[in-house]
Every structure is written in C-alpha cells, then in structure tokens.
Amino acid sequence: LKKIGIITGTTRQGRKSKQVAEWVTERASKTGEATYEVLDLADFNLPLLQESAHPAMGEYQLESTKRWAKAVEGYDGFIFVTAEYNRSVPAALKNALDTIYGEWGGKPAAFVSYGGASGGMRAVEHLRQITLELRMLQVHDQVSLPFGGMALENPDWKEDDNRNKQLDSLVGELESMHALVSVRA
Ligand SMILES: Cc1cc2nc3c(=O)[nH]c(=O)nc-3n(C[C@H](O)[C@H](O)[C@H](O)COP(=O)(O)O)c2cc1C
C-alpha cells in the first residue's frame, strides 16, 4: 500500500519543522488513505555530500548515504515540510536531496512551508526546481504558514479551517497522482 514520507526540512535545535510535520502527518492520516509517516532528517545526520560518484550512478559508499537511500526508497511519495532560510531551501534539506538520486524519481512531491510574511514560499519555488531535476512529480496545491498573525505559538494554529482544507486538497491531489502513476507503471 501507499506510504508517504513527511520530510522535515530543518534540523537545528529548537526547529519548527517537527511540529509542522506532525500536524501534516496527523491530518493526512485522518483524511487520506495512504500511510503517512514523519521522515526526520535529524535522524540521519547526513554529512555534506562526500560521495565520489555522482549520486545518479547509485554507487553509494558511505553508510549514512546507504541508510538514507534505503529509507527514501521505502516511500511512494513525499510531503516536504520546509522553512525558508535566506530566501531559499534550508541547506540540510538541499543536501539530503542532493545526496541520493534514483530513490526520488517518478514519485510525487508536495510542499508545506512556513516562515515570515512570505510563508516560506520562496523556498518552495526553489524546491520545485530542484525536485524537477530529480524527476519527481509536482503536486500543484501547497500549504503555506505565514507567521504574521498566525504564529505557531498560538495553541489553536492547527484548528485553522482554511489551512486544514488546503492540506486536505494537497493530500487528495498527491494520492490521485500516485494512483495515476501506479496504473501507468
Ligand atoms: C538562517 C535563517 C535564515 C532565515 N531566513 C528567512 C527568510 O529568508 N525568510 C523567512 O521568511 N524567514 C527566514 N527565517 C526565519 C524562519 O522562517 C524561522 O526562524 C523558522 O522558524 C525557521 O524554521 P525552523 O524553526 O524549522 O528552523 C530564517 C531563519 C534562519 C535560522
């Protein structure tokens, strides 16, 4: 059955990506049919790309790369939960994407972002280009959480109807895209 990984895009102490990823996982598990799980970058401690061969060759040498590749291989699609660092993708997430290759291809990629007034959208625009190069399939609908007036510090932030509907729509699109890919495969 379909298994979707919710990838945390940041790894720093005190990061917000974990709580956003947990909300996505809880909600998607309720409204979707697939299995949703947090795939936490912080559990992998990936070094900055150290492999000698281009990742597209699939000749991984480091244990850390093999472990990450195996984990990613086990999912049929992904929701990337990302902040925006200096108008772009957090380095930990870019590195995790760059470190492997074939394990991403042909799988749906959806995006949930958070940040300042921009809600992390500029990171998502870059992520769309990066994941295109990795031959992932783009889910159009996305969710963005601007902090202005809707801070995560507000205990009710998960109850926002509009935001929940946006996420439901993202999940629906992701699941139907996956169904389409499976039929054609
Ligand atoms: C290095 C760094 C750069 C940042 N740059 C931006 C930015 O360009 N745009 C933005 O909206 N927020 C920016 N922020 C604020 C983040 O959106 C906010 O700190 C968020 O909580 C970071 O995600 P994290 O908690 O998961 O690390 C930046 C934060 C950091 C630490």
Side-chain angles (χ1 to χ4, degrees):
L1 207 70
K2 293 177 277 184
K3 219 172 113 187
I4 308 297
I6 319 289
I7 297 185
T8 53
T10 60
T11 52
R12 69 178 185 90
Q13 293 275 324
R15 67 197 165 137
K16 300 252 165 58
S17 56
K18 194 72 187 288
Q19 68 186 100
V20 179
E22 280 164 0
W23 163 66
V24 171
T25 308
E26 271 166 41
R27 178 85 189 177
S29 301
K30 257 188 237 156
T31 58
E33 286 173 12
T35 303
Y36 291 85
E37 283 176 8
V38 175
L39 180 52
D40 191 352
L41 281 193
D43 290 339
F44 290 85
N45 239 334
L46 292 170
L48 284 175
L49 185 57
Q50 299 282 326
E51 293 286 345
S52 44
H54 188 298
M57 309 296 287
E59 295 164 5
Y60 307 138
Q61 288 176 343
L62 275 70
E63 282 313 310
S64 56
T65 310
K66 289 179 189 166
R67 200 174 146 245
W68 175 234
K70 193 158 179 258
V72 171
E73 181 66 47
Y75 292 93
D76 303 300
F78 302 91
I79 301 177
F80 293 93
V81 173
T82 190
E84 177 179 304
Y85 284 177
N86 297 317
R87 287 200 179 215
S88 190
V89 182
L93 178 55
K94 177 67 161 69
N95 185 55
L97 283 160
D98 291 346
T99 296
I100 56 177
Y101 182 86
E103 294 75 11
W104 301 117
K107 297 177 183 174
F111 307 95
V112 173
S113 64
Y114 54 94
S118 73
M121 300 259 228
R122 294 171 297 199
V124 171
E125 287 303 304
H126 288 173
L127 265 177
R128 288 192 179 279
Q129 297 175 3
I130 295 161
T131 52
L132 177 67
E133 194 58 27
L134 292 167
R135 293 175 161 69
M136 300 186 81
L137 308 171
Q138 304 273 318
V139 172
H140 171 273
D141 287 7
Q142 63 190 59
V143 183
S144 141
L145 289 74
F147 284 162
M150 288 196 275
L152 297 190
E153 284 72 22
N154 175 349
D156 295 334
W157 73 270
K158 291 181 183 178
E159 312 304 327
D160 185 285
D161 274 351
N162 277 339
R163 190 181 296 139
N164 278 311
K165 277 189 200 139
Q166 284 169 357
L167 181 57
D168 297 348
S169 163
L170 176 156
V171 165
E173 194 186 337
L174 173 70
E175 294 199 356
S176 40
M177 184 178 283
H178 180 264
L180 204 67
V181 177
S182 314
V183 168
R184 290 172 62 204

